[in-house]
Amino acid sequence: MRMEPLNLDRKGLVKLLALPDFSPIYRKADQVRAAHKGDTVQIRAIVEFSNYCRRQCRYCGLNCKNTTAERYRMTPEEILACANMAAEAGYRTLVMQSGEDPYFTPQLLGELIREIKKTGMAVTLSCGEMPYAAYAYLKSCGADRYLLKHETADPEIYARLHPCGTLENRVRCLCDLKSLGYETGSGFMIGLPGQTLETIADDLLLLEKIGCDMAGIGPFIPHPQTPLKGCPAGSIELTKRAVALARLLLPDINLPATTALGVAGGESENDIFSCGANVIMRKVTPDPYKQKYEIYPAHFEKTDIPAERAFLERRIRALGRIPL
Ligand code: 5AD
């Protein structure tokens, strides 16, 4: 049966998000994914090299007001050792993520990027907001991609949740990254207090406006040591719907099955590969740091980089997809 062309403006997106039966849209998103991205699933390594953060994001366990968080910084040697292990295990991309930690100056990050690039891996940075000149310098050191989620496209919700930043500056950073030639990733959370289907439609349209190359869309998960501890977690179903609509709106982008979705949904991480996603990230952060990078509560198994990658490859093949 042929489907009517979908209306993907704000009103159309709201209507689609609220459909009683979303399965035809999932099927369509899966077809668009296959046509534009093929059947591969890109597995990307992520090393969380510092959980120091100067910001106060009210949903995040790493916000600087959380004095119960045990803070750590990996040494440059530890970071490089981890990068080498990831490369040896077959990873083609290393995502370097941290809180906004001024200890890691552009200079220091630049030196790390130059070393890591020698492994042949692509380098994605996810270290928060920086001035244009810093982004430009890191690009010149070899950084390929940058992840900086806009978190919510509603300026009021944004202001309420981020005492130390504005949506305007967030979007400015994303536009800077794009103009510098980074493959640019944004994204947002589903289930933030005050969010409506209209907000989610705006989130999707903002991805389009920025011209994102990637989008991480994940459910909000309450962290007990944050001001949002009493708020309900975001809906997995609504998260999957947003991922599917992102695929329809932006057929060529890379869409990760976000870690938070795996944590909250168990099996839904498998499922998400059938509604538009084509990327997955795996932590390669060494013990004992891994468990301390607690953005939201989660339990992690002991790190074994090659074994975890092999396991994930098998799972992806079992779904009829090709791990890369
Ligand atoms: N639940 C889900 N995702 C969260 N993030 C931060 N805190 C939470 C939470 N409590 C996400 C944000 C951020 C990314 C690193 O983690 O989207 O960009």
Side-chain angles (χ1 to χ4, degrees):
M1 195 180 75
R2 272 189 66 85
M3 249 168 63
E4 295 284 306
L6 293 171
N7 174 6
L8 299 176
D9 63 11
R10 189 172 193 258
K11 250 176 125 175
L13 288 168
V14 170
K15 218 167 140 187
L16 289 167
L17 285 164
L19 277 179
D21 176 13
F22 201 80
S23 35
I25 313 296
Y26 285 137
R27 274 198 296 277
K28 177 84 187 151
D30 198 41
Q31 285 163 9
V32 171
R33 184 271 310 154
H36 288 257
K37 306 305 287 183
D39 283 333
T40 57
V41 173
Q42 300 182 36
I43 313 178
R44 296 178 174 173
I46 175 166
V47 58
E48 298 144 325
F49 62 91
S50 164
N51 70 354
Y52 282 87
C53 191
R54 62 178 168 199
R55 300 190 56 138
Q56 299 173 33
C57 310
R58 295 173 75 82
Y59 44 80
C60 182
L62 302 185
N63 85 75
C64 65
K65 298 275 178 173
N66 179 9
T67 51
T68 65
E70 265 183 70
R71 305 287 170 169
Y72 71 86
R73 285 185 184 109
M74 287 171 65
T75 64
E77 292 71 29
E78 286 175 314
I79 297 170
L80 294 177
C82 181
N84 284 323
M85 280 190 275
E88 265 165 43
Y91 286 100
R92 299 176 184 213
T93 293
L94 183 69
V95 182
M96 298 175 66
Q97 189 175 84
S98 67
E100 288 196 9
D101 180 1
Y103 175 90
F104 283 93
T105 57
Q107 195 67 38
L108 178 50
L109 284 173
E111 283 169 32
L112 288 166
I113 294 164
R114 284 187 210 279
E115 280 306 309
I116 293 168
K117 290 287 288 188
K118 291 181 188 163
T119 65
M121 287 189 291
V123 171
T124 303
L125 295 175
S126 180
C127 310
E129 295 180 23
M130 295 184 196
Y132 180 88
Y135 288 148
Y137 176 71
L138 295 170
K139 187 87 188 60
S140 76
C141 295
D144 301 280
R145 313 190 185 112
Y146 207 104
L147 297 180
L148 184 78
K149 299 190 192 180
H150 70 255
E151 314 294 2
T152 173
D154 180 314
E156 269 170 41
I157 300 177
Y158 193 97
R160 222 180 303 138
L161 297 178
H162 303 95
C164 47
T166 62
L167 180 59
E168 196 186 351
N169 196 55
R170 200 78 173 169
V171 173
R172 193 273 304 160
C173 287
L174 284 160
C175 294
D176 285 353
L177 291 163
K178 188 78 196 162
S179 75
L180 284 162
Y182 282 92
E183 266 185 53
T184 304
S186 187
F188 53 91
M189 277 174 278
I190 296 288
L192 291 174
Q195 187 182 58
T196 61
L197 297 186
E198 283 75 13
T199 327
I200 299 174
D202 290 339
D203 281 320
L204 290 163
L205 293 169
L206 183 55
L207 298 177
E208 187 181 36
K209 189 169 156 207
I210 293 165
C212 287
D213 304 289
M214 303 179 267
I217 303 170
F220 158 70
I221 299 170
H223 187 294
Q225 308 293 344
T226 63
L228 298 195
K229 61 178 175 224
C231 298
S235 149
I236 301 294
E237 172 62 24
L238 197 52
T239 305
K240 284 166 52 191
R241 289 182 177 207
V243 172
L245 291 174
R247 173 59 69 209
L248 297 182
L249 199 59
L250 300 157
D252 293 312
I253 63 170
N254 284 324
L255 284 170
T258 49
T259 325
L261 199 51
V263 169
E267 282 306 297
S268 61
E269 195 182 70
N270 286 345
D271 217 356
I272 195 141
F273 289 121
S274 61
C275 61
N278 69 315
V279 175
I280 187 155
M281 290 192 207
R282 265 300 167 261
K283 285 177 185 255
V284 294
T285 311
D287 302 307
Y289 305 128
K290 190 184 193 177
Q291 193 60 50
K292 297 191 170 116
Y293 199 82
E294 204 189 48
I295 290 173
Y296 45 79
H299 172 74
F300 301 107
E301 298 301 321
K302 250 178 104 43
T303 300
D304 180 338
I305 296 174
E308 282 168 288
R309 175 155 177 128
F311 175 75
L312 190 56
E313 286 186 6
R314 280 197 300 277
R315 265 178 57 197
I316 290 167
R317 285 207 185 86
L319 297 167
R321 306 278 287 275
I322 305 149
L324 197 69

